[in-house]
Amino acid sequence: MSKDLRIKSQAFDGKMRSPNRAMLRAVGLTDEDFKKPMVGVADTESDVTPCNVHLGALAKEAREGVREAGAVPFLFHTITVSDGISMGTQGMRYSLPSREIIADSIETVVGAENMDGLVAFGGCDKNIPGCMIAIANAEIPSVFVYGGTIAPGNLNGKDIDLVSVFEGVGKNNKGDISDEELKQIECAACPGAGSCGGMYTANTMASAVEALGMSLPGSSSHPAVSKEKGVDSKEAGRAVYNLIEKRIFPKDIMTKEAFENAITLVMALGGSTNAILHLLAIAHAIEVDLTIDDFARIQKKVPHIADLKPSGRFVFQDLYNVGGVQAVMKMLLENGYLHGDCLTVTGKTLAENLKDVPDLTEGQEVITPLDNPKRKDGPLVVLKGNLSPEGSVAKLSGVKVKQHTGPARVFNTEEEATQAVIEDRINEGDVLIIRYVGPKGGPGMPEMLSLSSILVGKGLGEKVALLTDGRFSGGTHGLVIGHIAPEAQVGGPIALVEEGDSVTIDTVNMELTFEVSEEELETRRSKWVAPPLYKKGALGKYAHNVTSASKGAVTDYLNR
């Protein structure tokens, strides 16, 4: 008699569960199927974003892989939202909360249906960490599959992408390009399915998940429109069956050392600041003791070696063409930057997976040598000081300014700040502050890609500092600091900054400060009144439950 591999679906055994089985028979199960593991396939396919528009076909491949391996697949769907489409609008407030909604909905289905394994598909920024939080909370053998990067757009023989359009708005406002030229950029930037093409949040998180060991080797690099992506999907279905057989659970893979591997890769590739927020949240869900200080520790010793957008020359597909994330990880492992003994979803260690991986293509320019990096340490830095006691996050790839002191220009909404920039009321040297847009205050910690790109387009990317308790897109570059914590909504120091206060950004000493005496701060604090929290619907639930950005902006009550 063959071994019973089921983990939770034995709940359907016995006479008392005849009604349950009756309903499962209605969706196609047979007597034989009830003896097999049941595997959920969570599909985030959607027409609302090119990142996810193609995932349905990939999910069907995963179902076939599950079935061929000997388990029973169950396809179900959950939401996604597009950061690029909601950017700069009130809709951006829903972006980060969607991560929790996705996580909760996937966990709910696999928990309610007593599934034994899970294959989860993500494409856009928030459904990748959303899937991973769900995997952590579901506590069943699981594999993540990334939908893949979009191909670069092309205009007049030059590769462009979505950020080219955002920056084009600033260039148009400055008068450097015409309305017709802006329209040409808009129409050429996004040629088809896949996630935004630079080292932005989706590609960052996909790379991090592979380094964590939770997706199949090489899969994070494979473009959305490629034969490899279909193979990834079918193999993921087979891989989850292998994990069920070997009783390998997410907690066995996502260890502290695995998170250190993910952080190391993100630093080396110059990934999105959102990686800090999301990796903290995933670690929280899997109950690994990861803090913002771990990012600061690893940042000091990992060089930035990738010449990728937004600050570099190349897109993620260019990295794929010269060997991909696997080749970079192999180089990092061979030079002592990664923990090679970490277990992965193949059932093998990271070192075993990378053993026979080809080196980066000879003569390639996407990845620099380790001894001649773009930057000797990681470009994602954590700044602390009297303006951000719990920490704030900056991405310094390509930024030449190391210290900046200037007068605060304070705004309580992104819209007011954007209008000031468009109307040329912000001057070189200013420190532009947008507050009350943190996790609670936004609510939802909206990204500021629209405004930061306008500043870059107007030639102010390193001449005006932009500070916020909100977030920045992975496509953002320039002198920007986000995730300032505690946020203004809970009375953090950013709430007490006044117009004209002298603010200093010091990326040498990793400090973010403003020149106001403790006595004056106490006076201001005594007069400060918290704005009312948002109360209605999804945003209301989120505002009342979410934690600080320095803790990953999570919404559960584990270890609070």
Side-chain angles (χ1 to χ4, degrees):
M1 184 177 178
S2 60
K3 182 179 178 182
D4 187 352
L5 297 179
R6 296 174 299 169
I7 296 170
K8 293 189 175 183
S9 62
Q10 297 101 324
F12 300 125
D13 289 351
K15 295 179 182 178
M16 292 294 292
R17 296 293 170 256
S18 290
N20 312 61
R21 294 194 300 275
M23 293 194 71
L24 288 167
R25 291 181 191 280
V27 297
L29 269 67
T30 65
D31 284 347
E32 280 301 309
D33 289 330
F34 288 119
K35 301 173 186 176
K36 300 174 182 177
M38 297 183 177
V39 175
V41 178
D43 182 10
T44 54
E45 180 189 23
S46 175
D47 290 345
V48 305
T49 171
C51 310
N52 294 58
V53 71
H54 62 304
L55 295 186
L58 299 181
K60 289 178 181 176
E61 292 287 343
R63 288 172 74 190
E64 288 306 307
V66 169
R67 189 174 285 110
E68 289 174 8
V72 182
F74 291 86
L75 178 67
F76 63 94
H77 297 81
T78 187
I79 66 159
T80 186
V81 300
S82 170
D83 288 8
I85 296 171
S86 62
M87 194 72 66
T89 75
Q90 287 297 305
M92 175 44 73
R93 297 184 300 166
Y94 286 91
S95 166
L96 189 57
S98 78
R99 183 188 75 181
E100 315 308 306
I101 295 169
I102 291 162
D104 291 348
S105 63
I106 294 174
E107 178 197 347
T108 297
V109 174
V110 298
E113 303 300 320
N114 293 290
M115 291 177 180
D116 303 299
L118 172 65
V119 180
F121 282 82
C124 203
D125 297 5
K126 303 309 172 297
N127 50 66
I128 300 174
C131 288
M132 292 305 301
I133 293 169
I135 285 170
N137 286 329
E139 299 179 342
I140 53 176
S142 304
V143 178
F144 174 77
V145 183
Y146 178 43
T149 187
I150 195 172
N154 191 279
L155 182 63
N156 301 323
K158 181 181 178 181
D159 283 349
I160 61 172
D161 62 11
L162 182 63
V163 175
S164 307
V165 193
F166 279 107
E167 292 178 1
V169 174
K171 292 177 181 177
N172 176 260
N173 177 254
K174 188 181 178 183
D176 288 347
I177 63 173
S178 67
D179 291 354
E180 179 57 33
E181 288 173 307
L182 178 60
K183 180 69 176 295
Q184 290 174 355
I185 298 170
E186 173 190 328
C187 293
C190 301
S195 301
C196 297
M199 199 61 202
Y200 310 144
T201 301
N203 285 326
T204 297
M205 289 309 301
S207 303
V209 171
E210 182 171 337
L212 266 176
M214 288 303 299
S215 60
L216 291 175
S219 62
S220 67
S221 307
H222 295 153
V225 183
S226 67
K227 291 181 179 178
E228 292 99 327
K229 193 50 62 183
V231 174
D232 291 341
S233 303
K234 180 169 280 191
E235 288 300 317
R238 296 190 178 110
V240 77
Y241 187 85
N242 180 53
L243 293 174
I244 292 170
E245 276 190 311
K246 294 182 175 178
R247 288 304 195 257
I248 297 174
F249 291 82
K251 275 192 174 184
D252 300 319
I253 298 172
M254 288 193 278
T255 62
K256 180 67 175 281
E257 290 74 22
F259 278 96
E260 290 180 344
N261 285 345
I263 296 168
T264 296
L265 182 65
V266 168
M267 292 292 178
L269 293 178
S272 166
T273 52
N274 283 311
I276 296 180
L277 198 70
H278 297 323
L279 288 171
L280 285 171
I282 297 165
H284 176 85
I286 204 71
E287 298 184 67
V288 164
D289 182 21
L290 190 73
T291 72
I292 197 168
D293 294 330
D294 288 308
F295 290 83
R297 169 175 57 85
I298 294 171
Q299 179 269 333
K300 291 179 175 65
K301 63 181 183 179
V302 178
H304 177 206
I305 56 174
D307 194 8
L308 292 167
K309 290 179 181 290
S311 59
R313 294 178 292 162
F314 299 101
V315 294
F316 202 61
Q317 186 161 310
D318 294 321
L319 176 58
Y320 161 74
N321 290 334
V322 301
V325 166
Q326 270 198 301
V328 176
M329 289 173 63
K330 180 183 179 184
M331 182 171 70
L332 291 170
L333 177 66
E334 289 176 345
N335 286 274
Y337 288 99
L338 297 178
H339 303 287
D341 57 351
C342 289
L343 190 62
T344 74
V345 292
T346 63
K348 300 177 182 179
T349 66
L350 184 72
E352 289 172 325
N353 290 343
L354 295 174
K355 182 180 178 182
D356 297 319
V357 169
D359 293 334
L360 287 161
T361 304
E362 188 173 350
Q364 60 82 32
E365 298 180 354
V366 182
I367 302 296
T368 70
L370 283 165
D371 59 3
N372 186 29
K374 288 175 66 65
R375 180 185 166 98
K376 65 180 177 61
D377 54 7
L380 302 187
V381 303
V382 175
L383 307 177
K384 291 188 176 182
N386 68 348
L387 188 50
S388 59
E390 292 182 5
S392 58
V393 178
K395 182 175 179 178
L396 301 179
S397 51
V399 177
K400 296 180 177 65
V401 177
K402 297 184 183 301
Q403 294 174 316
H404 178 102
T405 298
R409 304 296 306 279
V410 183
F411 298 88
N412 291 343
T413 70
E414 181 184 0
E415 292 76 15
E416 292 171 318
T418 301
Q419 196 62 32
V421 172
I422 291 292
E423 294 173 358
D424 297 321
R425 290 188 279 118
I426 301 299
N427 305 310
E428 290 186 16
D430 284 349
V431 178
L432 183 57
I433 294 178
I434 304 173
R435 63 189 181 189
Y436 296 105
V437 290
K440 288 182 176 291
M445 208 180 176
E447 291 179 350
M448 307 285 168
L449 176 60
S450 180
L451 177 53
S452 64
S453 298
I454 290 170
L455 287 169
V456 170
K458 289 172 73 71
L460 297 173
E462 294 191 30
K463 297 174 181 176
V464 170
L466 175 55
L467 277 58
T468 182
D469 52 6
R471 296 183 296 131
F472 291 105
S473 163
T476 293
H477 61 110
L479 190 56
V480 298
I481 295 100
H483 305 205
I484 293 175
E487 63 175 293
Q489 180 68 43
V490 300
I494 190 174
L496 308 178
V497 180
E498 293 184 357
E499 189 83 6
D501 284 347
S502 180
V503 178
T504 296
I505 301 110
D506 183 347
T507 62
V508 176
N509 297 303
M510 304 301 180
E511 292 179 346
L512 182 61
T513 57
F514 65 132
E515 291 184 34
V516 179
S517 68
E518 281 300 318
E519 293 78 13
E520 173 63 18
L521 278 180
E522 284 305 314
T523 299
R524 295 181 187 182
R525 190 172 285 113
S526 67
K527 298 176 181 178
W528 178 80
V529 177
L533 270 182
Y534 201 89
K535 296 180 179 179
K536 186 178 180 182
L539 293 181
K541 295 183 184 76
Y542 187 83
H544 284 264
N545 287 284
V546 69
T547 63
S548 168
S550 64
K551 296 184 178 180
V554 297
T555 56
D556 63 32
Y557 284 79
L558 179 68
N559 299 326
R560 283 206 182 193

